[in-house]
Amino acid sequence: MRMKLVGVGGATAMAALRVATGAGNWFSALALGVTLLKCLLIPTYHSTDFEVHRNWLAITHSLPISQWYYEATSEWTLDYPPFFAWFEYALSHVAKYFDQEMLNVHNLNYSSSRTLLFQRFSVIFTDALFVYAVYECCKCIEGKKAGKELTEKPKFILSALLLWNFGLLIVDHIHFQYNGFLSGLMLLSIARLFQKRHMEGAFLFAVLLHFKHIYLYVAPAYGIYLLRSYCFTANKPEPTASSLFPTLPFQEGPLPCILGSKLLGIVQCFGQSAVRHRLLSVGKAGDASIFLILTTTGHYSLFPLLFTAPELPIKILLMLLFTIYSISSLKTLFRKEKPLFNWMETFYLLGLGPLEVFCEFVFPFTSWKLKYPFIPLLLTSVYCAVGITYAWFKLYVSALSDPPVGKTKKQ
């Protein structure tokens, strides 16, 4: 049933795309299509993060501010910075019109159909910031490689890669988190730097830090970039992709600690979306290659998050669709240049298929399942950690070997 819904959603999204592109409003079509798909994912499995955020709604709504960070009725205590607490507080005043019982601190593991609808729609609604941020980023992309067809234009490809991102779809709209909203803040901050609105970019990043402290590790890169490109430069040159992004580490992947593997720590800095690298992927063939290796491997590393049987065909189908589109669109964009993958990279990426077959369809029927249930997770962790580390290494080799920004032609 869920697969039928996803199939109907895909057809509806494509129909919306054809109608809107006929009128020239292709970005709205992409945003509308993915929103429809998100709505179809509402009844799917959700993780314990669903209860985490429900409890935070209850804490911020029913308790005074002085108790928000001390309330411990639930094991899921409020541990995000103050802005996220106020974000939950604002949501709670809408939640009360759906189901007042979800706002009771003592209703542990409370779930109702109205609670489910509110929680799911809160993620979809706040994704509006992410959509706006993608739109702003696309305005920063030059169209020198633009083809005759709409689907060959860099802005269209970038928009599709961001808005229809497989990682955000399954982590936010199945597993349940608010990464799209937070990624929107990050992207908008970066867009402002591209637009030479440095103070706005710095302010938005500071706001982001007060929403989720994990982004603190990006702060040194931001500080160095702003000192170099804004504070200590008389001419204050326009930031370019090659000058900004190689200095920034990739953002946090949403793999929770419940997966338990140390190797997933490598994936957890790189695995979710590599949003900042996507802006590079439509600029140079080498960056596109790194992007494809990183996102394909990182997205596969998210598969253990969805371990229930009904979601198995959904995650496989969505990843296949996104991966095939990513590779085909970027190959078309760089068709006049060298192949995006060498033989070793091709062999590695193709190896994800047999790995999935073994983990999902072979291992459950072996005698090892009861004695060594961690083997699929271990294999996934090791395999993905190798690919992500390779992509990271390749990125920094590229960044260090490129000519200095001042000596390159203006994009």
Side-chain angles (χ1 to χ4, degrees):
M1 181 62 181
R2 292 178 185 176
M3 281 298 296
K4 290 181 180 179
L5 288 175
V6 173
V8 172
T12 305
M14 291 305 297
L17 177 60
R18 286 193 294 270
V19 172
T21 51
N25 196 7
W26 57 266
F27 186 86
S28 298
L30 286 174
L32 175 62
V34 75
T35 302
L36 292 174
L37 178 59
K38 292 172 184 177
C39 291
L40 292 176
L41 296 176
I42 287 176
T44 56
Y45 151 86
H46 55 79
S47 71
T48 53
D49 282 333
F50 185 87
E51 169 62 13
V52 171
H53 288 282
R54 185 215 60 82
N55 186 55
W56 292 359
L57 289 171
I59 289 174
T60 55
H61 184 81
S62 58
L63 297 177
I65 299 174
S66 59
Q67 297 181 29
W68 284 4
Y69 287 95
Y70 296 94
E71 164 58 36
T73 301
S74 168
E75 62 181 308
W76 312 117
T77 55
L78 180 56
D79 57 3
Y80 272 27
F83 279 17
F84 204 95
W86 285 104
F87 170 72
E88 295 279 5
Y89 174 79
L91 288 179
S92 72
H93 284 277
V94 181
K96 65 184 179 183
Y97 295 106
F98 283 76
D99 188 346
Q100 187 72 33
E101 289 301 310
M102 80 170 83
L103 302 176
N104 187 336
V105 174
H106 300 285
N107 276 353
L108 301 182
N109 298 310
Y110 180 80
S111 181
S112 66
S113 58
R114 292 187 178 185
T115 301
L116 175 66
L117 285 175
F118 171 76
Q119 295 268 75
R120 291 295 197 190
F121 276 118
S122 70
V123 179
I124 295 172
F125 178 78
T126 55
D127 271 359
L129 177 61
F130 180 71
V131 173
Y132 173 68
V134 172
Y135 178 77
E136 288 295 306
C137 283
C138 289
K139 289 163 60 176
C140 305
I141 299 298
E142 294 289 340
K144 63 178 182 178
K145 290 183 179 294
K148 295 181 180 179
E149 298 293 330
L150 170 66
T151 54
E152 296 180 6
K153 297 182 181 297
K155 290 185 178 181
F156 182 91
I157 294 173
L158 176 63
S159 298
L161 293 179
L162 288 169
L163 293 176
W164 288 77
N165 173 251
F166 167 76
L168 286 178
L169 280 175
I170 69 166
V171 174
D172 280 13
H173 302 282
I174 299 181
H175 181 79
F176 193 83
Q177 287 186 16
Y178 288 93
N179 292 292
F181 168 70
L182 298 171
S183 297
L185 279 173
M186 188 73 190
L187 268 182
L188 191 57
S189 170
I190 291 172
R192 294 298 181 246
L193 295 182
F194 268 77
Q195 297 162 1
K196 296 191 292 186
R197 296 157 66 174
H198 297 87
M199 295 300 290
E200 288 183 47
F203 173 76
L204 287 169
F205 180 69
V207 170
L208 177 64
L209 290 181
H210 286 78
F211 270 98
K212 194 167 185 179
H213 51 288
I214 191 66
Y215 290 95
L216 184 62
Y217 72 85
V218 190
Y222 254 83
I224 293 172
Y225 174 76
L226 289 171
L227 286 173
R228 176 192 177 198
S229 300
Y230 180 70
C231 298
F232 295 155
T233 304
N235 296 327
K236 297 182 174 58
E238 178 181 359
T240 63
S242 58
S243 67
L244 174 60
F245 292 102
T247 65
L248 294 180
F250 298 103
Q251 73 178 20
E252 173 210 18
L255 295 177
C257 59
I258 57 172
L259 295 181
S261 171
K262 292 295 184 181
L263 284 167
L264 283 175
I266 299 177
V267 176
Q268 196 171 13
C269 294
F270 298 99
Q272 182 220 337
S273 63
V275 166
R276 289 170 290 290
H277 199 65
R278 285 200 175 89
L279 293 178
L280 287 170
S281 67
V282 296
K284 297 191 302 181
D287 295 322
S289 172
I290 297 171
F291 158 76
L292 290 171
I293 297 170
L294 182 60
T295 51
T296 304
T297 309
H299 286 160
Y300 182 76
S301 75
L302 299 174
F303 269 34
L305 287 176
L306 306 183
F307 51 85
T308 54
E311 279 65 44
L312 176 61
I314 295 177
K315 67 183 182 183
I316 292 177
L317 175 62
L318 289 179
M319 180 171 173
L320 281 175
L321 290 174
F322 183 83
T323 304
I324 291 171
Y325 172 76
S326 299
I327 295 175
S328 61
S329 62
L330 291 175
K331 274 190 173 182
T332 301
L333 189 63
F334 299 104
R335 56 182 173 270
K336 295 182 180 180
E337 303 186 32
K338 64 180 183 179
L340 294 179
F341 305 120
N342 58 39
W343 69 268
M344 181 182 67
E345 295 165 349
T346 302
F347 181 80
Y348 172 82
L349 292 176
L350 291 176
L352 292 172
L355 177 61
E356 174 66 6
V357 170
F358 175 78
C359 291
E360 297 285 0
F361 303 104
V362 176
F363 181 80
F365 298 99
T366 66
S367 58
W368 294 346
K369 181 181 179 181
L370 296 178
K371 192 174 182 181
Y372 306 107
F374 56 85
I375 285 181
L377 179 58
L378 178 63
L379 292 176
T380 301
S381 301
V382 172
Y383 201 89
C384 292
V386 169
I388 291 169
T389 303
Y390 170 80
W392 174 86
F393 179 77
K394 189 174 180 180
L395 171 64
Y396 276 86
V397 168
S398 172
L400 293 173
S401 60
D402 280 347
V405 176
K407 297 183 180 180
T408 57
K409 292 183 178 180
K410 201 171 185 179
Q411 293 280 336

